[in-house]
Amino acid sequence: MVQFFSSLSITSTGFFVFALIIFGIYYLVPKKAQNLVLLLASYVFCVTWAWDFAAVLIGFSVVNYFFALKISAAIDKSRLRWLWVGIVLNVGVLLFYKYFDQTQYFLFKALFRLGLIPAQMELRILQPIGISFYVLQAISYLVDVHRRQIPANRNLLEVSLYLSYFPKLMAGPIERAQNFFDQLHANRVVDNQQVTDSLLRIFVGLCRKILIADTIAQLLPSGLFANPLVFSFSDLIFWWFVSGIMIYNDFAGYTGIARGISGLFGIQLSPNFEQPFFSTGFLDFWNRWHMSLSNWLRDYVYLPVSRAMLRRNPSGRYLPNLIIPPLVTMIVSGIWHGATLHFILWGFMNGLLQAWERVDKAFRKSAPPPVSRWAVVGTILVLLLINAPFRLDIPQTFAFWTGIFRWGPFQTFTAASTLKPLFAVALSFYLDWKHLATRDELGLLRLPKRTQIFLLAAGMFLLFLATRQQIAAPFIYQEF
């Protein structure tokens, strides 16, 4: 029984049993106690991974609760000082848990050589689940209180639930405090339509994760990216594109399941994706991909940097104004994903693409040409190529870029090896196409009833077969 409820992942049977138990308790208790049920459930969920993860989260929530009260009560410059202390503390916690393990060898070696410690040391520090996501939420909450966009919440339970809410704890979405608190205060009524919408989000999320992402992950040729020079251009391009579809559906699947579970509690979480593989430009892509993170970076990094640049020179055609803000923003995004050179390179290159687009728009003398399907294809191809550092370290990245110029026939392309990946890619594009065609993320509900029944039955059958043949892999974004 303990093993069944250990390290709960939201595609595990244990998680769905856990969620059903919480649903039962949630709807049996008085409404004024429902938030407490969700908070306790969130801490229990955290304890299934490690009890000290829950302890860190509780301490983190209490500290940010008091910082928000201090910022709200302070005046003039002391208000800004409290904000910066809170930001530095949050960033320090994130850096310590995410990056201390990578740097402790050099730190302790230097301390040993200086004679400050008697011998070389090593500490084993595990990164608490979801810390990258709830740190960003805490920072946005403190900043919004400082800007007087929202009042400091004096209810510790609500602040703690905002940071620890279990459907979004591991990998977001990154919620804004105002939206979340408003829903905690509202009379949450879950009607038949909301149940239908939520269950569909869970079903589509499972299909994206298990039928698409996990299927592709099992079929990627071993060593393809560890040793790219062994493979031809054709293999690298095909499998790199397929792996991009895998990452997208892995994360979109998590978001769909999280939003569906939350919807059954009457709390709507933010969408994270809007058909990113139909993007018409690099800025457009980042408005569609991991939207809650992109919006956070826009509001708390890009716009402050841009305003600071404009105060120095208000010209809309001043090159530093156009180049520096997107570069800084995407480098911060890279460091948030991981403080290693390949993530920083990934952020820098994406920042350059956005800067180039902004410069082109600012200096363009004629109207932009109509958007064509080739613009979509070109955008995705460029992004797939320059996003190599997201999955590969620096030597592997350059080996991959070198390998794409080694022309040659397919070495791994056979009916047995590519039929399932092609089916997974087709299913991914079908789901996005239905969303795009109906302008509704639940566009499948607009299909004829017989078609809905057929797709539901087929999807459930395929999910059953997939779960009998494989164990769901951990979500990729849990690593961050």
Side-chain angles (χ1 to χ4, degrees), residues 125-201:
I125 298 176
L126 296 177
Q127 177 185 326
I129 59 170
I131 191 168
S132 297
F133 295 88
Y134 60 73
V135 162
L136 294 192
Q137 290 187 148
I139 291 173
S140 70
Y141 173 50
L142 297 183
V143 172
D144 289 351
V145 170
H146 175 264
R147 291 173 176 173
R148 301 189 190 278
Q149 293 176 342
I150 61 172
N153 193 323
R154 297 186 176 277
N155 188 320
L156 177 59
L157 186 153
E158 292 180 359
V159 174
S160 301
L161 181 56
Y162 165 61
L163 295 173
S164 63
Y165 185 45
F166 76 91
K168 66 176 179 60
L169 180 62
M170 289 196 298
I174 301 166
E175 290 297 316
R176 300 300 175 87
Q178 183 67 67
N179 176 57
F180 196 82
F181 291 152
D182 285 347
Q183 294 190 75
L184 294 186
H185 299 154
N187 182 25
R188 300 191 288 273
V189 177
V190 180
D191 57 19
N192 290 339
Q193 186 59 53
Q194 189 160 330
V195 170
T196 300
D197 293 350
S198 297
L199 292 177
L200 180 61
R201 286 194 175 101

Side-chain angles (χ1 to χ4, degrees), residues 3 55 80 90 141 148 192 263 265 316 358 368 381 396 399 414 453:
Q3 184 72 23
L80 184 61
N90 278 292
Y141 173 50
R148 301 189 190 278
N192 290 339
F265 290 117
R358 285 170 51 80
L381 284 177
Q396 289 174 327
T414 64
I453 293 170

Side-chain angles (χ1 to χ4, degrees), residues 220-424:
L220 288 175
S222 60
L224 182 69
F225 303 124
N227 191 10
L229 291 177
V230 175
F231 297 88
S232 70
F233 161 83
S234 307
D235 292 281
L236 290 176
I237 292 298
F238 174 78
W239 288 110
W240 190 252
F241 171 72
V242 169
S243 70
I245 299 294
M246 176 192 72
I247 295 172
Y248 163 49
N249 282 279
D250 186 274
F251 195 19
Y254 175 93
T255 302
I257 298 168
R259 294 181 69 208
I261 294 289
S262 185
L264 293 174
F265 290 117
I267 297 175
Q268 301 300 321
L269 298 180
S270 304
N272 247 344
F273 296 94
E274 190 176 351
Q275 310 94 46
F277 282 85
F278 289 89
S279 302
T280 58
F282 308 119
L283 290 169
D284 185 43
F285 177 84
W286 286 107
N287 288 329
R288 295 166 174 262
W289 177 279
H290 202 172
M291 292 156 58
S292 62
L293 174 62
S294 295
N295 292 339
W296 192 97
L297 291 168
R298 178 198 64 199
D299 293 345
Y300 302 105
V301 180
Y302 176 84
L303 289 177
V305 172
S306 184
R307 292 188 190 110
M309 300 291 297
L310 288 170
R311 282 196 291 269
R312 298 174 64 89
N313 187 323
S315 171
R317 292 191 171 188
Y318 183 54
L319 285 178
N321 291 351
L322 299 169
I323 295 173
I324 292 177
L327 271 180
V328 170
T329 301
M330 292 308 300
I331 289 173
V332 168
S333 178
I335 294 173
W336 177 83
H337 284 89
T340 52
L341 285 177
H342 65 96
F343 279 119
I344 295 172
L345 175 62
W346 170 82
F348 176 77
M349 295 183 69
N350 275 278
L352 277 182
L353 288 178
Q354 294 186 29
W356 174 79
E357 227 173 51
R358 285 170 51 80
V359 170
D360 179 66
K361 183 178 179 180
F363 287 91
R364 184 184 292 275
K365 294 182 180 180
S366 58
V371 175
S372 68
R373 65 184 63 183
W374 293 111
V376 175
V377 172
T379 297
I380 297 306
L381 284 177
V382 171
L383 283 168
L384 286 172
L385 293 177
I386 66 102
N387 282 342
F390 187 83
R391 296 295 305 277
L392 310 174
D393 60 24
I394 296 295
Q396 289 174 327
T397 295
F398 284 99
F400 171 77
W401 285 336
T402 302
I404 63 176
F405 293 103
R406 296 176 66 252
W407 300 95
F410 278 109
Q411 297 168 267
T412 60
F413 195 91
T414 64
S417 65
T418 56
L419 188 59
K420 284 186 177 180
L422 288 175
F423 166 78

